[in-house]
Amino acid sequence: MAAPRNVLRDEESAAAALLNNSSKEDDDSPTGKRLKSERFPVSRWELAAFFGVFLIFSTGLFCIYLTMPATEYGKLKIPRSISDLRLLKDNIATYASDYPTQFILGYCSTYIFMQTFMIPGTIFMSLLAGALFGVKGVFLVVFNATAGACSCFFLSKLIGRPLVSWLWPDKLRFFQAEIAKRRDKLLNYMLFLRITPTLPNLFINLASPIVDIPFHVFFLATFVGLIPASYITVKAGLALGDLRSVKDLYDFKTLSVLFLIGFVSIFPTLLKKKKIYE
């Protein structure tokens, strides 16, 4: 009577082994590999670190907004279009002149927060600086853009590698190869990238720590390289009433000027290569 039980037990073991083998084959199949590669690459610890940093920044920003008069809360809105920007400028112009210190503190905190966490709309914040402060707004924009880019740099250094590799694998490999070829004149190359729209600033902020760009090179290239574009944007903010779209900021003439300045920044590198070849 024991034999049938043993046979039944053996059959169950064989069925279990067959199921395990089939699941392994599914995992090794192209479909299984694709599903694995498409999973979100950030671990729980990295997500926890991201939200922890986000909470700290949000708390600081909220505490700053608490110092503002309650009557101004309804007028605050991150602009998403030129019409939104004109309305915001009209609403807060009096507050900015009456409480300049509080306004600049709130403006800087918002700008850096948006730049750090890659929230779209900093171009409108730059235009707002021009509309409210004139050419002096260039200093404000360059400071905030540099501070926000540096914060984004360190955030990416903390948790950005899997995310950037997942979002832009080809672009990241290209960027890494270009950086490796220009290690001896890295500052000139980074200046060129910052001045010209060759690569998006968002990608540069996130990818720089991943391809081992030293922070001092990143900081200096960002601070100096953003000045031309910041000046163009702030100057456009002075004539906000004539601006129809953000696309009008970078016409052919403006892009030509930016690329000309960019080529000047890499001229020493090209000159050195010519001497080496000779």
Side-chain angles (χ1 to χ4, degrees):
M1 297 295 294
R5 293 181 182 176
N6 291 334
V7 171
L8 183 60
R9 195 176 295 115
D10 291 340
E11 289 177 351
E12 290 176 351
S13 300
L18 184 62
L19 287 173
N20 289 333
N21 289 334
S22 63
S23 64
K24 288 180 181 178
E25 289 176 358
D26 290 340
D27 289 341
D28 293 336
S29 66
T31 305
K33 289 179 179 178
R34 185 169 64 251
L35 289 173
K36 282 183 178 180
S37 65
E38 290 176 356
R39 290 173 186 166
F40 196 64
V42 180
S43 66
R44 292 180 181 178
W45 180 89
E46 289 166 334
L47 277 176
F50 174 83
F51 284 113
V53 175
F54 184 85
L55 182 63
I56 293 172
F57 270 81
S58 301
T59 303
L61 192 61
F62 179 72
C63 291
I64 290 171
Y65 280 143
L66 287 179
T67 64
M68 299 177 65
T71 55
E72 302 294 330
Y73 289 151
K75 302 177 182 179
L76 297 177
K77 176 186 175 183
I78 295 176
R80 298 298 180 189
S81 64
I82 297 297
S83 58
D84 289 345
L85 183 61
R86 292 194 190 103
L87 184 62
L88 178 64
K89 184 251 181 182
D90 293 338
N91 287 336
I92 65 173
T94 302
Y95 172 74
S97 60
D98 292 343
Y99 304 93
T101 303
Q102 289 172 289
F103 174 78
I104 290 176
L105 189 59
Y107 174 89
C108 292
S109 303
T110 304
Y111 199 118
I112 295 171
F113 180 85
M114 294 173 67
Q115 189 90 338
T116 300
F117 295 102
M118 300 151 282
I119 300 172
T122 53
I123 184 70
F124 295 111
M125 298 292 289
S126 300
L127 288 168
L128 181 64
L132 293 175
F133 300 106
V135 180
K136 293 184 293 184
V138 173
F139 301 101
L140 196 61
V141 171
V142 171
F143 168 77
N144 286 305
T146 304
C150 292
S151 298
C152 189
F153 177 96
F154 287 115
L155 185 64
S156 180
K157 193 169 186 177
L158 179 66
I159 62 169
R161 183 179 294 273
L163 189 61
V164 176
S165 302
W166 182 58
L167 289 173
W168 304 291
D170 296 333
K171 190 178 289 187
L172 182 61
R173 282 192 292 268
F174 168 79
F175 188 44
Q176 195 163 22
E178 292 298 311
I179 293 298
K181 290 189 293 186
R182 294 171 171 83
R183 283 289 174 187
D184 54 338
K185 290 289 184 179
L186 191 55
L187 179 59
N188 297 86
Y189 180 61
M190 289 297 294
L191 277 171
F192 175 79
L193 292 181
R194 282 302 195 187
I195 294 170
T196 64
T198 307
L199 285 175
N201 281 324
L202 171 62
F203 175 79
I204 296 173
N205 295 342
L206 291 172
S208 291
I210 298 172
V211 298
D212 298 324
I213 293 175
F215 176 70
H216 70 278
V217 173
F218 176 86
F219 171 80
L220 190 58
T222 301
F223 182 79
V224 177
L226 291 180
I227 292 175
S230 298
Y231 175 78
I232 291 170
T233 309
V234 169
K235 190 176 179 182
L238 287 168
L240 193 58
D242 300 330
L243 195 64
R244 293 171 298 176
S245 171
V246 175
K247 296 179 181 178
D248 296 339
L249 288 173
Y250 298 102
D251 54 12
F252 179 77
K253 182 180 178 181
T254 302
L255 291 175
S256 300
V257 171
L258 289 177
F259 272 102
L260 179 62
I261 298 172
F263 280 120
V264 169
S265 69
I266 62 170
F267 183 74
T269 305
L270 299 175
L271 193 62
K272 182 179 179 181
K273 284 185 178 180
K274 184 179 179 182
K275 289 181 180 179
I276 292 173
Y277 290 142
E278 292 176 350

